[in-house]
Amino acid sequence: MKIGFIGIGNMASAIIEGISDKKSVYISSSTPESTLEKAKTLGVNATKSNRDLVEQVDIIILCVKPEMLESVSSEIKDLVGNKVCVSIAAKKTIKDLENYLGLVPIIRVMPNLNATIKQSTSAITRNERVTEENYELVKSIFSNVGEVFEVEEKLFSAFIGIAGSSPAFIFKFIDALMNQAVEEGMDFNEALAITVSAVKGSADFLQQSSNTAQELVVKVCSPGGTTIEGVQSLDNNNFNEIVNEAVAATIKKDKLG
Ligand SMILES: NC(=O)c1ccc[n+]([C@@H]2O[C@H](COP(=O)([O-])OP(=O)(O)OC[C@H]3O[C@@H](n4cnc5c(N)ncnc54)[C@H](OP(=O)(O)O)[C@@H]3O)[C@@H](O)[C@H]2O)c1
């Protein structure tokens, strides 16, 4: 199977890094010059144009910015035939893609920033024209750069709230968490390393536990202990409501398109 990528920015480069058989990868960027340069860096095949790419490959992965998707689609539409088109663009639905490309096999994937370190949390969905074999193949491409969850398209906005955008929320939480230790005199980098280790360990603990996050909060808090003081402070300051509102705002924005 030949896999083609159109738009070779941060995301496409990260996904290509995860593919071991680089000979199967073809790329097309905004100009032939940048395509050649990027192909050299990534160790993959360059093509002359987006149309040339579509003629050569079996699967087309569209990695351009959402606002470029319509024009790139109209450029390649007559060559797509029954080839699978994959889009990773935020806000563009399968219906949008069908409007741009026609009734062809379409897969929509939403990776996140962590793909760049092969720890993406990605959502995947498809239209009814995609065969099981092609769906599994595309899933495996994204599994190489992290975990892939099958999510109904109507829940993609919710997914973006808790996985697409959440790295920024978690970075903010880490920043807030470590600040007080720095105030107490701890070196910034030491506080960062300690906080990241605690966040990572807690996420792994939760993943391996049969308890919910809420149940673990109760387990960690011994009566009269130190942790309960902090948890009560979070509750008194409406921590849950603040985070809920942030996720809701993200979901609302995504739904607006
Ligand atoms: N970054 C993320 O964390 C993230 C997460 C989930 C989904 N996504 C989605 O992934 C897609 C790509 O995001 P990105 O962050 O990788 O963007 P990016 O770094 O800006 O990459 C987009 C690439 O497309 C190229 N391009 C522009 N016009 C083109 C054309 N007509 N034909 C071929 N290539 C063209 C650009 O080349 P020039 O630079 O030369 O213009 C650029 O290299 C977006 O749709 C975004 O919604 C991104």
Side-chain angles (χ1 to χ4, degrees), residues 26 33 46 49 52-53 79 81-82 95 103 108 121-122 132 146 168-169 174 176 179 182 192 198 210 212 244 255:
Y26 292 71
E33 295 74 31
S49 65
D52 181 35
L53 176 134
L79 298 173
N82 208 33
K95 193 97 216 117
L103 298 177
R108 189 178 168 203
T121 305
S122 305
E132 206 55 47
F169 308 155
I174 289 172
N179 263 346
V182 174
L192 179 62
S210 55
T212 63
N244 285 348
K255 283 185 174 169

Side-chain angles (χ1 to χ4, degrees), residues 108-111 120-125 147-151 156 159:
R108 189 178 168 203
V109 183
M110 183 49 55
S120 178
T121 305
S122 305
I124 190 167
T125 190
E147 274 193 270
V148 181
F149 294 84
E150 287 186 43
V151 176
F156 256 55
F159 175 87

Side-chain angles (χ1 to χ4, degrees), residues 12-66:
S13 302
I15 301 160
I16 291 168
E17 289 290 346
I19 300 175
S20 54
D21 180 13
K22 298 283 192 284
K23 284 196 187 76
S24 67
V25 177
Y26 292 71
I27 65 165
S28 172
S29 196
S30 53
T31 62
E33 295 74 31
S34 72
T35 301
L36 270 177
E37 198 186 308
K38 287 172 181 181
K40 215 168 141 193
T41 309
L42 293 162
V44 298
N45 303 290
T47 60
K48 294 191 197 85
S49 65
N50 293 341
R51 289 180 66 79
D52 181 35
L53 176 134
V54 172
E55 283 182 320
Q56 296 198 50
V57 303
D58 305 295
I59 290 179
I60 304 144
I61 307 189
L62 297 158
C63 298
V64 291
K65 290 280 187 202

Side-chain angles (χ1 to χ4, degrees), residues 170 174 177-178 189-205:
I170 292 157
I174 289 172
L177 203 55
M178 61 179 277
N189 288 329
E190 190 185 9
L192 179 62
I194 291 169
T195 312
V196 168
S197 167
V199 169
K200 246 183 178 174
S202 308
D204 288 347
F205 190 102

